[in-house]
């Protein structure tokens, strides 16, 4: 692992730690705004390395940077950390909507932070502009080693089966020695200046031999190239169609050269970036909810990967795995993708924390509203208020949740160490 990748891993880890710090700051700020008493705000766990006290709150850093916490007195009726003079400031005594705001504030911070990261990326980073691709110069970005002549979908990954060098035929581009950076200037004796025009000609020339001309470092090169015929999705099919929904009727036999284009890039600016960030935020929320729903079915994939099976690129990753991927992206200069990954992690953590399970924030919110609904129902039935939920009775279930979460955490870390997800580029 090179030094630049290690720097990227460290930066991504710092980004995660900063996100956690802001998460806890969200809880702290909301609690103080409502008049609750917060006595401690710490980043990390274990022995205290450094702290200071400002007002009634102690702020500090602990030895293990594995999270953070805010101590608000009276978070449950069973807490015995409230003095008589502060009894009115105990969290459990506040209206349920205020307690909900305080507990949800951490996740809201993640959502805001994720949106701001996306806004910065979509506003100021040069991003691929596929709308301009067809009119862009036909400059080569990548050359495929091989080509898959048949359209196949891997049922495990839901993606197109990649070709395997040595098993599948070498691409025509590789055979004639095309390289990244080459600009194709003519095909079959006809000049080409746009990627869309070149694509149409190549697709129409399957099974034939033609002369390809390109420029490299100011010099012109030509070669005879025989284009194989392969099954590909018709160009009139919506490019956003999931590959698992592509049917035989959507395919056609076309010529393939085996190159990818240099995609033109555009900077959107801060105004247009708002809409792009909002659209991507909605997409990430949908993806996060879908990913959480599929977590149980992904566990066998992680176990298989640990014991030598192929690692599914759609399988869950731990903070360790995400940091390594972030480091590799940073080393390759893919800073926008690095930041988008960090935004995606914020959305995931924000949604995950709202699951109605103790000890997550969503568990506290669920209990608060359960108490509210139960009190309302008992009042309508003319029965005495049953009072607050006894958190001590919830502890066995809480321990089960913690055990499952810890097991899943260790499983993903192990998979990320012994069989990490590899970038597809």
């Amino acid at each position: 692992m090179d030094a630049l990748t290690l720097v990227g891993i460290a930066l991504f880890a710092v980004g995660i730690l900063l996100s956690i710090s802001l998460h806890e700051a969200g809880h702290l700020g909301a609690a103080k705004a409502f008049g609750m008493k917060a006595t401690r705000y710490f980043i990390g766990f274990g022995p205290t390395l450094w702290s200071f006290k400002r007002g009634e709150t102690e702020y500090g850093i602990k030895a293990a940077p594995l999270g953070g916490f805010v101590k608000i007195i009276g978070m449950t009726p069973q807490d015995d950390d409230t003095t008589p003079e502060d009894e009115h400031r105990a969290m459990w005594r506040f209206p349920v909507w205020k307690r909900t705001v305080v507990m949800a504030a951490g996740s809201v911070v993640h959502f805001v932070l994720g949106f701001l990261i996306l806004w910065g990326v979509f506003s100021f980073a040069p991003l691929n502009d596929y709308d301009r691709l067809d009119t862009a110069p036909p400059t080569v970005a990548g050359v495929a080693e091989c080509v898959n002549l048949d359209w196949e979908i891997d049922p495990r990954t839901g993606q197109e089966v990649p070709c395997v060098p040595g098993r599948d035929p070498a691409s025509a581009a590789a055979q004639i020695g095309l390289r990244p950076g080459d600009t194709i200037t003519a095909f079959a004796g006809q000049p080409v200046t746009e990627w869309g025009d070149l694509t149409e000609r190549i697709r129409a020339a399957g099974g034939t031999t033609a002369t390809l001309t390109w420029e490299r470092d100011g010099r012109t090169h030509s070669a005879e190239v025989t284009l194989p015929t392969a099954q590909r999705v018709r160009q009139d099919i919506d490019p956003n169609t999931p590959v698992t929904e592509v049917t035989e009727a959507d395919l056609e036999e076309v010529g393939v050269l085996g190159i990818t284009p240099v995609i033109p890039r555009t900077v959107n600016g801060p105004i247009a970036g708002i809409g792009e960030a909002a659209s991507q935020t909605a997409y990430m929320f949908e993806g996060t909810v879908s990913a959480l729903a599929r977590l149980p079915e992904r566990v066998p994939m992680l176990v298989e990967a640990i014991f030598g099976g192929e690692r599914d690129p759609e399988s869950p990753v731990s903070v360790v795995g995400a940091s390594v991927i972030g480091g590799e992206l940073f080393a390759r200069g893919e800073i926008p993708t690095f930041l988008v990954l960090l935004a995606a992690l914020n959305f995931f953590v924000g949604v995950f924390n709202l699951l109605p399970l103790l000890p997550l924030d969503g568990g506290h919110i669920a209990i608060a509203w359960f108490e509210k609904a139960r009190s309302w129902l008992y009042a309508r039935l003319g029965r005495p208020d049953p009072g607050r939920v006894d958190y001590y009775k919830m502890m066995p279930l809480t321990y089960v949740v913690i055990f499952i979460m810890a097991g899943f955490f260790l499983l993903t870390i192990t998979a990320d160490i012994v069989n990490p997800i590899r970038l597809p580029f």
Side-chain angles (χ1 to χ4, degrees):
M1 191 174 292
D2 59 53
L4 201 55
T5 300
L6 292 174
V7 170
I9 292 173
L11 288 175
F12 198 86
V14 168
I16 294 173
L17 190 60
L18 179 60
S19 298
I20 293 172
S21 303
L22 293 174
H23 171 108
E24 300 302 335
H27 291 311
L28 179 68
K32 285 181 173 290
F34 288 134
M36 301 175 190
K37 184 174 182 179
T39 57
R40 305 178 81 194
Y41 170 89
F42 274 82
I43 302 304
F45 299 102
T48 299
L49 298 180
W50 171 81
S51 71
F52 69 94
K53 192 166 186 179
R54 178 170 294 175
E56 62 190 12
T57 307
E58 181 186 9
Y59 302 83
I61 298 174
K62 289 184 174 290
L66 301 176
F69 67 92
V70 171
K71 177 59 180 174
I72 305 171
I73 66 168
M75 289 188 69
T76 75
Q78 288 76 42
D79 286 351
D80 58 357
D81 56 354
T82 307
T83 60
E85 60 269 22
D86 289 329
E87 189 69 28
H88 66 289
R89 300 181 65 190
M91 182 176 177
W92 70 271
R93 290 188 174 277
F94 282 74
V96 66
W97 72 268
K98 290 186 177 181
R99 285 182 279 149
T100 299
V101 170
V102 171
M103 296 310 300
S107 287
V108 171
V109 167
H110 282 299
F111 301 149
V112 172
L113 183 58
F115 176 83
L116 290 176
I117 292 173
L118 292 177
W119 175 78
V121 170
F122 285 112
S123 296
F124 305 111
L127 300 176
N128 291 341
D129 188 348
Y130 291 95
D131 291 336
R132 295 170 48 212
L133 177 57
D134 281 349
T135 58
T139 300
V140 178
V143 177
E145 285 188 66
C146 56
V147 291
N148 220 339
L149 301 183
D150 297 316
W151 177 265
E152 297 179 88
I153 301 299
D154 187 337
R156 291 180 65 258
T157 64
Q159 301 296 320
E160 185 179 358
V161 174
C163 68
V164 177
R167 185 196 70 185
D168 295 302
S171 71
Q175 290 181 44
I176 64 172
L178 278 179
R179 300 177 189 172
D182 293 346
T183 298
I184 297 172
T185 57
F187 180 80
Q190 299 295 317
V192 289
T193 59
E194 298 180 350
W195 176 259
D197 181 29
L198 175 64
T199 299
E200 290 290 345
R201 297 189 188 192
I202 290 173
R203 291 174 71 93
T208 67
T209 299
T211 302
L212 189 75
T213 304
W214 67 93
E215 287 188 358
R216 178 188 301 161
D217 300 328
R219 299 180 61 184
T220 299
H221 303 263
S222 292
E224 293 291 312
V225 58
T226 300
L227 299 173
T229 301
Q231 280 186 322
R232 294 294 184 266
V233 179
R234 299 201 323 264
Q235 290 188 295
D236 61 337
I237 300 300
D238 184 350
N240 295 318
T241 302
V243 294
T244 52
E245 296 179 12
V246 173
T247 66
E248 285 290 334
D250 298 328
L251 303 175
E252 62 180 344
E253 298 284 340
V254 299
V256 291
L257 179 59
I259 59 174
T260 55
V262 171
I263 301 168
R265 296 194 167 196
T266 299
V267 176
N268 292 310
I271 302 302
I274 295 175
E276 294 289 343
S279 176
Q280 186 67 18
T281 294
Y283 174 78
M284 284 189 170
F285 263 111
E286 180 182 351
T288 297
V289 173
S290 177
L292 283 171
R294 297 197 309 269
L295 273 183
E297 67 186 58
R298 302 289 182 179
V299 171
M301 296 181 181
L302 288 173
V303 175
E304 183 180 346
I306 290 173
F307 291 98
E310 183 179 353
R311 182 72 185 270
D312 186 342
E314 297 294 321
S315 62
V317 296
S318 66
V319 172
V320 173
S323 297
V324 171
I325 293 173
E328 292 177 352
L329 290 169
F330 182 84
R332 299 184 189 191
E334 296 288 340
I335 306 303
T337 311
F338 173 96
L339 293 172
V340 169
L341 178 62
L342 186 59
L345 187 63
N346 272 278
F347 288 124
F348 181 86
V349 173
V351 173
F352 183 78
N353 258 297
L354 292 178
L355 293 177
L357 299 169
L358 288 175
L360 302 176
D361 296 337
H364 292 280
I365 294 172
I367 288 177
W369 283 99
F370 170 77
E371 291 174 341
K372 180 79 171 178
R374 187 174 63 173
S375 296
W376 178 88
L377 179 61
Y378 273 53
R380 294 297 179 276
L381 296 175
R383 298 171 60 181
D385 190 334
R388 305 289 185 175
V389 168
D390 187 343
Y391 274 73
Y392 289 123
K393 293 182 179 179
M394 302 289 293
M395 290 310 295
L397 180 59
T398 302
Y399 288 138
V400 169
V401 173
I402 292 174
F403 178 79
I404 293 174
M405 289 171 54
F408 184 77
F409 181 68
L410 291 174
L411 188 66
T412 53
I413 286 182
T414 303
D416 289 334
I417 292 174
V418 304
N419 192 356
I421 291 177
R422 305 293 182 184
L423 293 178
F425 55 88

